[in-house]
């Protein structure tokens, strides 16, 4: 794929998973085609701090922490210099990009040490700031110097993107712009603010879409490729990468990426085949904007339950629940009241479809109104039969 500046900024600045920022891209490409140069140039143009780590020359302690006596008969694991620098800079309000280069030249012991760093942001006993984001680049192991395949646990932590070979025009533009098109690169703080301002609604829509799809395609939740297959070391669906898919859908939409570019990113999370199925489902389902549905004076004019498509109903209800359950959600109580009215209309002939959304809203403390209590009373037998209460 051709990766635009706006897409790169989306990957770095979008809220990710586990309360951390960034969508964890891993760029695959041949040596010498400009991956590292473009990342370095873009970081400068965005006003972000860049920390480049050549993983092949690092030791496991650079990621697990340096063991030291704690003075009480135990051990502590002190964070290395790069992690302390990242936290100090991020605490000043800057985006910090940790760029792990030459990942496939990284020995297995170091790859194992990186697992918790990438997934949870822990370096030894230090929790990295949420605005410390990770990018990685790799050459295919067959052409990397002393190359290693990525084990499935490591591969499944990244979004896998193929870096296209530049043509002469690309190369010329890169040289002239110092590998960053500064006419389109915006400050990281501006991009983060724009994405954050629209993220709540887009995240709710993405959660509804994915949960609705998986309701009717439950075998796609986990699909580990066969041992020895090429895609075992690339993108494949798991609960973790579905979580990353949701974050990618939300971040891409919030930053105004074209649908075709978002589709490419989703392929990098869960693989081409499943991403294509999700795309087809999204087009056929035609899901409403949950904010518009919950703010409508008459929700039935925006959307109505179709008994023949319980998966779509689940997607709609789940997206609405995802929008109102956060404690800082806008118009929380007003929208919750409308939500219970919608759930009530669905429970007349499909109470089981509404159970997950209803339970989520109730657990968020939004079930004290007369409308909510009336609906929950009707749902009670179904929830009890399903083991939900």
């Amino acid at each position: 794929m051709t990766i635009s500046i706006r897409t790169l900024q989306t990957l770095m600045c979008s809220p990710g998973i586990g309360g951390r920022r960034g969508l964890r891209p891993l760029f695959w490409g041949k040596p010498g085609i400009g991956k590292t140069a473009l990342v370095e140039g873009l970081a400068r143009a965005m006003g972000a701090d860049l920390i480049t780590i050549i993983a092949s020359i690092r030791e496991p302690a650079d990621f697990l922490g340096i063991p030291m006596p704690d003075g009480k008969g135990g051990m502590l694991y002190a964070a290395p210099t790069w992690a302390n620098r990242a936290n100090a800079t991020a605490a000043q309000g800057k985006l910090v990009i940790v760029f792990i280069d030459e990942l496939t030249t990284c020995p297995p012991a170091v790859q194992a040490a990186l697992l918790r760093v990438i997934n949870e942001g822990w370096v030894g006993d230090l929790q990295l700031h949420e605005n410390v984001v990770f990018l990685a680049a790799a050459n295919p192991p067959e052409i990397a110097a002393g190359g290693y395949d990525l084990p499935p646990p490591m591969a499944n932590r990244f979004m896998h993107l193929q870096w296209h070979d530049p043509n002469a025009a690309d190369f010329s533009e890169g040289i002239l712009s110092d590998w960053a098109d500064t006419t389109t690169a915006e400050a990281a703080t501006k991009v983060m603010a724009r994405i954050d301002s629209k993220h709540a609604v887009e995240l709710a829509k993405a959660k509804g879409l994915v949960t609705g799809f998986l309701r009717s395609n439950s075998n796609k939740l986990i699909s580990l490729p066969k041992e020895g297959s090429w895609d075992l070391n690339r993108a494949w669906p798991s609960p973790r990468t579905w979580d990353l898919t949701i974050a990618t859908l939300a971040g891409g939409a919030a930053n105004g990426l074209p649908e075709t570019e978002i589709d490419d990113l989703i392929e990098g999370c869960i693989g081409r085949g499943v991403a294509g199925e999700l795309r087809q489902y999204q087009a056929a389902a035609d899901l409403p904007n949950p904010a518009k549905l919950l703010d409508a004076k008459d929700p039935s004019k925006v959307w109505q339950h179709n008994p023949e498509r319980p998966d779509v109903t689940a997607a709609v209800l789940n997206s609405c629940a995802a929008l109102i359950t956060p404690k800082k959600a806008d118009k929380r109580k007003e929208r919750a009241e409308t939500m219970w009215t919608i759930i009530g209309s669905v429970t007349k002939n499909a109470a089981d479809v509404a159970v997950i959304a209803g339970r989520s809203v109730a657990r968020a403390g939004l079930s004290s109104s007369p409308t909510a209590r009336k609906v929950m009373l009707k749902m009670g037998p179904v929830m009890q039969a399903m083991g939900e209460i």
Side-chain angles (χ1 to χ4, degrees):
M1 66 177 288
T2 300
I3 303 173
S4 69
I5 297 297
R6 195 174 187 90
T7 295
L8 285 170
Q9 292 187 304
T10 301
L11 296 172
M12 298 179 200
C13 296
S14 294
I17 61 179
R20 305 193 57 76
R21 199 172 289 275
L23 299 176
R24 305 180 188 174
L26 167 54
F27 300 117
W28 290 93
K30 299 172 184 176
I33 62 174
K35 301 185 296 295
T36 302
L38 181 57
V39 171
E40 291 174 346
L42 184 61
R44 289 194 299 271
M46 292 174 65
D49 192 45
L50 179 69
I51 298 174
T52 300
I53 295 175
I54 307 298
S56 60
I57 61 173
R58 296 282 183 160
E59 299 291 333
D62 289 316
F63 307 109
L64 294 173
I66 303 166
M68 301 175 62
D70 65 359
K72 300 177 183 179
M75 299 293 292
L76 57 80
Y77 292 87
T81 302
W82 72 265
N84 288 311
R85 170 190 157 188
N87 264 15
T89 305
Q92 299 172 11
K94 291 187 70 174
L95 182 71
V96 178
I97 302 168
V98 177
F99 181 42
I100 302 173
D101 205 0
E102 309 291 351
L103 185 60
T104 46
T105 65
C106 179
V110 178
Q111 288 189 11
L114 274 167
L115 292 175
R116 194 180 184 210
V117 180
I118 300 299
N119 201 50
E120 302 171 32
W122 280 96
V123 182
D125 293 331
L126 178 70
Q127 170 79 76
L128 292 174
H129 191 282
E130 65 182 29
N131 285 347
V132 177
V133 305
F134 291 97
L135 281 77
N139 307 134
E142 63 271 15
I143 60 174
Y148 301 89
D149 282 323
L150 292 186
M154 176 64 81
N156 199 241
R157 280 165 163 76
F158 285 104
M159 173 196 298
H160 298 260
L161 302 175
Q162 186 66 37
W163 197 281
H164 79 294
D165 292 351
N167 55 35
D170 293 333
F171 177 75
S172 298
E173 289 181 10
I175 288 293
L176 295 176
S177 67
D178 200 17
W179 297 102
D181 183 353
T182 55
T183 62
T184 60
E186 299 175 277
T189 51
K190 182 178 180 179
V191 179
M192 289 190 290
R194 179 173 60 242
I195 292 174
D196 290 352
S197 70
K198 302 176 182 178
H199 193 261
V201 171
E202 297 302 339
L203 182 63
K205 289 164 64 176
K207 287 182 176 181
L209 170 64
V210 168
T211 55
F213 172 78
L214 291 175
R215 178 184 173 88
S216 57
N217 298 273
S218 59
N219 62 321
K220 299 298 191 298
L221 176 61
I222 305 173
S223 183
L224 180 67
K226 294 180 180 179
E227 187 68 35
S229 65
W230 173 85
D231 49 354
L232 183 66
N233 312 118
R234 299 296 177 95
W236 46 274
S238 73
R240 180 190 293 127
T241 54
W242 278 115
D243 205 357
L244 185 59
T245 296
I246 290 169
T248 302
L249 286 164
N255 203 31
L257 292 188
E259 288 187 5
T260 53
E261 292 189 25
I262 296 176
D263 289 345
D264 288 337
L265 301 183
I266 299 306
E267 287 184 12
C269 295
I270 53 176
R272 178 170 295 180
V274 179
E277 294 180 48
L278 178 65
R279 190 181 307 122
Q280 292 173 356
Y281 176 85
Q282 182 179 20
D286 192 24
L287 302 176
N289 182 313
K292 291 182 178 179
L293 177 60
L294 294 175
D295 291 340
K297 292 183 178 180
D298 183 358
S300 66
K301 292 184 178 179
V302 178
W303 172 82
Q304 292 185 9
H305 164 61
N306 179 358
E308 296 182 0
R309 291 298 305 271
D311 57 309
V312 173
T313 296
V316 172
L317 296 181
N318 291 350
S319 67
C320 290
L323 183 63
I324 64 175
T325 50
K327 291 184 178 180
K328 295 183 179 180
D330 291 339
K331 297 185 279 188
R332 197 168 184 254
K333 291 185 178 179
E334 300 92 328
R335 286 174 170 175
E337 189 69 7
T338 303
M339 176 72 177
W340 284 114
T341 300
I342 296 171
I343 292 176
S345 68
V346 172
T347 56
K348 294 177 182 178
N349 55 18
D352 60 311
V353 178
V355 165
I356 293 178
R359 182 184 61 186
S360 299
V361 176
R363 287 181 173 177
L366 296 170
S367 59
S368 60
S369 72
T371 302
R373 290 196 296 268
K374 182 179 179 181
V375 174
M376 289 188 69
L377 186 62
K378 290 182 179 179
M379 294 177 66
V382 176
M383 295 179 73
Q384 192 169 26
M386 296 179 68
E388 301 294 345
I389 59 174

